[in-house]
Amino acid sequence: MGAVQSYRLRLQRKRWRIRAFRKRRELSSIADRTSTIKRDDILVFSTLRNEDVRLPYFLDYYRDMGVNHFLMVDNDSSDGSVDFLAKQPDVSLWHSRKSYKRSRFGVDWLNWLQTRYAHGHWALVVDPDEFLVYPFCDTRPLRALTDWLDASSIKSFGAMLLDMYPKGRLDAQPYRAGQDPLEIAAWFDSGNYSIQKNKKFGNLWIQGGPRSRVFFPDKPALAPALNKIPLVKWDRKYTYVSSSHMLLPRGLNLVYDEWGGEKASGILLHTKFLDTFSTKAAEELERKQHYSGSVEYLAYSDSAKDDPDLWCKWSEKYINWRQLEILGLMSKGNWA
Amino acid sequence: MSVGIVMLVHTALDRAEQAARHWASFGCPVVIHVDASVDRETHSAFVKSLSDTPDILFSKRHMCEWGTWGIVAASQSASELMLTQFPEVRHVYLSSGSCLPLRPVEELIEYLGNRPRTDFIESATTADVPWTVGGLDKERFTMRFPFSWKRHRYLFDRYVALQRRIHFRRKIPNGITPHMGSQWWCLTRQTLSAILQDPDRETYDKYFSKVWIPDESYFQTLTRLYSTQIESRSLTLSKFDFQGKPHIFYDDHLQLLRRSDCFVARKIWPRADRLYQAFLTDAAGALKKTEPNPGKIDRIFAKAVDRRTRGRAGLYMQSRFPNDGWDNGVTSGQYSVFQGFSDLFEDFEPWLEKTTGARVHGHLFDPDRVQYSGQQSEINGALSDSALTRDYNPKAFLTSLIWNTRGERQCFQFGPNDSQEICWDIAKDPNAQISVISGAWAVPLFKSNRNFADIRTEAALLQKIESEHLDILRSYFAKARIRIWTMAEFIEAPMEPLQSIIDEIGHKTLHRLAEVPKMSDLSGFGKFLQNLKNQGMHPHLMGDFPVMLDEPSANQKPRKPYLVQ
């Protein structure tokens, strides 16, 4: 990596930071409880739109894990999300009516909030349908992990997105507020992932899973990226480049070992595929606010009409993190 | 009151207080050294909180940065205070604020009481220890280290490089032999006071203050001068990871720690409430005798180091993506690739499955569809049969397939009709067993009902592709177990090659092959090749097929399948 390239990335990083700074004006505060954030608190950052049915379980899941404060951006929800979140004692809420796409899918907004509030904290960036699983998460709180990462001088922790789906039609089992979505979307693909290295940013680019298998069998290159680096000991100089897939400076993207060993990593259980999915897909298609002309949602809605069953004979049923580690989807690394 | 505890503390003062009270309540005097980087307010609050116990004292504070002299200075001051203030103390036990006594204190007192003259300190010469990290073993005693490793890594590294370059060497004073070992020791008053009151102490201190990580070598070296009886092991259970950082114990290690044969464990996560509860406050539980089984602890932490440094062979995932050549195994298990066999034999795949018990696929790299065994549309791991998905990343496809089917041998067919991008990866994989009958791709052409001009074009193309593949297989970089026969060679004596392939697959059959696959009827094949030649295409991969031999004649019966003697 030459000096020129490294300087270019530096400029790019500054550009994203300036952009985030400009985009701060699109955010209006609804409930600001950031003064209650203490020095060592673990923070969750999230954008959402019309997710009220998911929010109760989402908040409880991360509260139990030891998250201290949630900083959330509501992108013009029309359901009860705003009222519900504004009432929560550990949530600070912002609102934006502006384009999700123009804010680079919420990245600019969250980059700004992180610059402002996350400096020196462990910050976890997740959507309301993503649930972090890390080694020993059934016996050790998230604080144990961040303390260990601190002690090991590790600044970022990777957690691949694992698409979960139900057996049978997506709309067969309705999801109720407060319910564990994994009771319905309990299945996943264990071994059909393809990895490439992104030379420029140094991150891995992972594709595969049920979305690639069912929606993109003939156009695998278009399948969505599954690599994520959601947990970072934030510094105001950092910036996410695209969603939580990659960061700058690029050293933060090196969450994998290149010399044969395994680094510790987790999984984001992605519970997008519930009965709420088809309405969401229809709405998102209308809004055209997602990646590359919503090609993902287009493909979904095409296949979803014919055969909405993602399940196949070789699908695995989720048990716990140890199962994911044995299957080779995540690793304990040298955390024992 | 025979054991005194010296405790080095820098964070989690509340836990340190808990541990100190525990020791003191069993009559062990405690001297605490608080790192000078702890601010004055916190320090005085801490001192005050322990002021009700007369047997807990505080020593002069030093700055303790990892790898520097401060930690030794701290142990010296605290030990001196301990020896002068508590004359009854016979053994001094060095511990830290994140240490936790695993066994009842009475047991430790009794144990040391039975060994009044033994010094427990891990102490080995540099040549004999495998655990130095960063390549600095002998050099840590012969170089100078004025720069902080944590804060000024660049200067640290440059200065080491410079000293190496100019062959700088410090003199080791008085001809002592440097020894190294765990920094957590338990020494007798006699040995410890001899070290602290040595007339040459100033010389040693001056020397060791510039040694790299002196807390692992100061006492370890000097004990050798005075001790009458050294037991070279630490009474403190302490496990280190591949970078030399101590592993941390959590609540879920409780059962494991109960089975340790050590008296004290470090380091404990300060918020591991259950551990503190179990070992400090729950006297009944702590007294519960369990058969010590330290091997189990060793295994768990050795495995963690192995996982971090070598990983699981053949696994490619989000946190393990080895550079080319660093994968310690391209794939996770052995598999077999057959080229030409299913062209030459009519029922090769079912025969192979029956004979070996392995899973036999068709052409996995077929350009239209992945031909899994049993015509499945997905296979283990929900790996899809889409050819486009496979060709998007053929190596990921192959390594996933082998990983997903761990424990079951995979066999598949390959040929010049298939997509060829995978060839190098297979050839370089020591797990692959590749068997090729070169030129056998001509058999289906020979049997086909196509125009000869098309056949000729196709044959030329396939021959070129297979020829390139054979070059790869014969290259210097190929690591697979490769066998190549020309077709002519193979059909002359097919039993022997088949037998050796099957033997290598390792299916336990005591008998020799009882049944062989049925070979296609090749009468007229020589003529077919000659026709190709006559059209200007030279088929050379099949070996020598005499034209006349298989000239069909009216009274000759169709050839029988091979039989076995």
Side-chain angles (χ1 to χ4, degrees), chain B residues 80-343:
Chain B
E80 275 168 342
L81 188 67
M82 172 69 75
L83 294 178
T84 46
Q85 292 297 311
F86 301 100
E88 334 65 52
V89 165
R90 185 179 270 274
H91 274 99
V92 175
Y93 199 124
L94 182 66
S95 74
S96 82
S98 51
C99 285
L100 187 63
L102 296 184
R103 284 159 67 181
V105 180
E106 300 95 327
E107 248 179 70
L108 176 66
I109 295 172
E110 188 193 323
Y111 185 83
L112 293 174
N114 291 338
R115 295 157 181 80
R117 306 193 73 79
T118 312
D119 295 297
F120 295 90
I121 181 164
E122 193 178 55
S123 158
T125 54
T126 50
D128 306 323
V129 288
W131 29 253
T132 52
V133 172
L136 290 166
D137 39 36
K138 231 181 217 142
E139 285 172 329
R140 54 167 89 188
F141 297 105
T142 58
M143 286 187 179
R144 291 172 160 274
F145 297 93
F147 299 108
S148 159
W149 187 81
K150 279 220 163 123
R151 283 173 297 132
H152 307 123
R153 177 79 67 90
Y154 182 78
L155 286 175
F156 182 96
D157 288 343
R158 293 273 71 75
Y159 198 59
V160 166
L162 176 74
Q163 294 179 76
R164 276 183 190 154
R165 190 128 151 234
I166 62 172
H167 299 291
F168 175 82
R169 256 160 198 265
R170 295 175 69 199
K171 203 174 158 274
I172 300 174
N174 294 352
I176 50 172
T177 320
H179 281 69
M180 286 161 54
S182 162
Q183 69 174 109
W184 310 108
W185 42 252
C186 177
L187 297 178
T188 57
R189 171 180 287 270
Q190 256 188 25
T191 308
L192 190 55
S193 57
I195 293 172
L196 294 174
Q197 292 157 12
D198 192 309
D200 282 341
R201 177 168 156 194
E202 210 170 309
T203 322
Y204 294 136
D205 285 9
K206 208 170 146 212
Y207 168 74
F208 275 102
S209 65
K210 295 284 182 307
V211 161
W212 176 231
I213 323 185
D215 49 307
E216 287 183 358
S217 58
Y218 180 81
F219 290 100
Q220 289 71 5
T221 303
L222 297 182
T223 305
R224 290 279 167 188
L225 297 181
Y226 302 108
S227 176
T228 50
Q229 201 179 342
I230 289 186
E231 179 124 350
S232 180
R233 69 184 168 95
S234 177
L235 296 180
T236 302
L237 171 73
S238 182
K239 290 281 159 197
F240 294 93
D241 70 4
F242 76 117
Q243 288 170 316
K245 281 184 291 87
H247 278 296
I248 301 168
F249 295 109
Y250 300 90
D251 283 345
D252 47 76
H253 290 126
L254 177 60
Q255 295 312 323
L256 213 56
L257 290 176
R258 279 198 200 284
R259 316 207 74 179
S260 163
D261 58 350
C262 288
F263 288 98
V264 174
R266 96 177 287 269
K267 234 156 154 167
I268 310 293
W269 188 46
R271 296 177 199 236
D273 295 334
R274 254 180 80 204
L275 290 187
Y276 278 93
Q277 166 81 21
F279 288 111
L280 291 190
T281 48
D282 178 13
L287 285 172
K288 205 161 57 192
K289 286 256 184 200
T290 351
E291 191 62 31
N293 181 9
K296 200 166 174 201
I297 302 181
D298 291 342
R299 267 199 304 282
I300 282 187
F301 290 100
K303 255 168 108 178
V305 172
D306 196 55
R307 191 165 48 231
R308 181 63 188 84
T309 51
R310 291 176 55 76
R312 288 171 273 181
L315 174 64
Y316 300 80
M317 45 95 76
Q318 54 168 338
S319 54
R320 178 182 202 264
F321 196 67
N323 288 336
D324 219 11
W326 285 90
D327 36 32
N328 93 63
V330 180
T331 49
S332 59
Q334 299 191 338
Y335 57 98
S336 306
V337 184
F338 293 93
Q339 179 151 337
F341 287 73
S342 56
D343 295 327

Side-chain angles (χ1 to χ4, degrees), chain A residues 125-181:
Chain A
V125 176
V126 284
D127 287 341
D129 57 1
E130 294 170 354
F131 297 94
L132 177 69
V133 169
Y134 53 88
F136 306 102
C137 59
D138 47 359
T139 50
R140 303 178 196 173
L142 188 57
R143 171 84 52 194
L145 175 66
T146 57
D147 278 359
W148 176 76
L149 292 168
D150 274 329
S152 312
S153 314
I154 301 172
K155 294 194 174 69
S156 52
F157 181 77
M160 185 180 100
L161 207 57
L162 187 68
D163 291 325
M164 308 297 293
Y165 47 85
K167 184 174 178 179
R169 292 178 61 94
L170 293 187
D171 49 12
Q173 303 169 70
Y175 175 72
R176 289 171 289 101
Q179 188 186 6
D180 179 356

Side-chain angles (χ1 to χ4, degrees), chain A residues 75-92:
Chain A
N75 184 204
D76 209 18
S77 293
S78 52
D79 62 359
S81 302
V82 173
D83 295 338
F84 175 79
L85 287 174
K87 272 186 278 176
Q88 305 300 314
D90 51 359
V91 173
S92 293

Side-chain angles (χ1 to χ4, degrees), chain B residues 347-359:
Chain B
D347 54 350
F348 180 67
E349 290 166 35
W351 171 83
L352 185 65
E353 195 152 58
K354 199 171 157 201
T355 320
T356 60
R359 175 120 61 132

Side-chain angles (χ1 to χ4, degrees), chain A residues 136 139-141 143-144 147-148 151-152 158-160 189-197 204-207 212-213 216-218 220-221 228 255-267 312-315 325-336, chain B residues 150 241-243 245 247-248 250-253 269-271 300-301 303-313 315-324 326-328 359 376 378-384 386-390 392-393 396-397 400-401 403-404 406:
Chain A
F136 306 102
T139 50
R140 303 178 196 173
R143 171 84 52 194
D147 278 359
W148 176 76
S152 312
M160 185 180 100
D189 284 11
S190 69
N192 55 7
Y193 299 92
S194 141
I195 308 181
Q196 284 159 289
K197 202 179 279 187
L204 295 183
W205 186 30
I206 308 179
Q207 293 168 296
S212 173
R213 171 167 59 85
F216 299 94
D218 303 327
K228 288 229 170 190
V255 291
Y256 56 96
D257 189 273
E258 299 174 286
W259 312 107
E262 293 173 30
K263 288 189 179 179
S265 56
I267 283 284
C312 78
K313 187 183 152 195
W314 297 100
S315 299
E325 135 107 346
I326 290 166
L327 289 170
L329 291 164
M330 59 185 270
S331 176
K332 293 185 278 193
N334 58 326
W335 202 28
Chain B
K150 279 220 163 123
D241 70 4
F242 76 117
Q243 288 170 316
K245 281 184 291 87
H247 278 296
I248 301 168
Y250 300 90
D251 283 345
D252 47 76
H253 290 126
W269 188 46
R271 296 177 199 236
I300 282 187
F301 290 100
K303 255 168 108 178
V305 172
D306 196 55
R307 191 165 48 231
R308 181 63 188 84
T309 51
R310 291 176 55 76
R312 288 171 273 181
L315 174 64
Y316 300 80
M317 45 95 76
Q318 54 168 338
S319 54
R320 178 182 202 264
F321 196 67
N323 288 336
D324 219 11
W326 285 90
D327 36 32
N328 93 63
R359 175 120 61 132
Q376 301 179 83
E378 286 100 8
I379 202 166
N380 305 42
L383 205 56
S384 135
S386 154
L388 289 159
T389 303
R390 175 202 65 205
Y392 180 56
N393 193 339
F397 167 80
S400 298
L401 176 78
W403 173 262
N404 294 342
R406 304 191 290 290

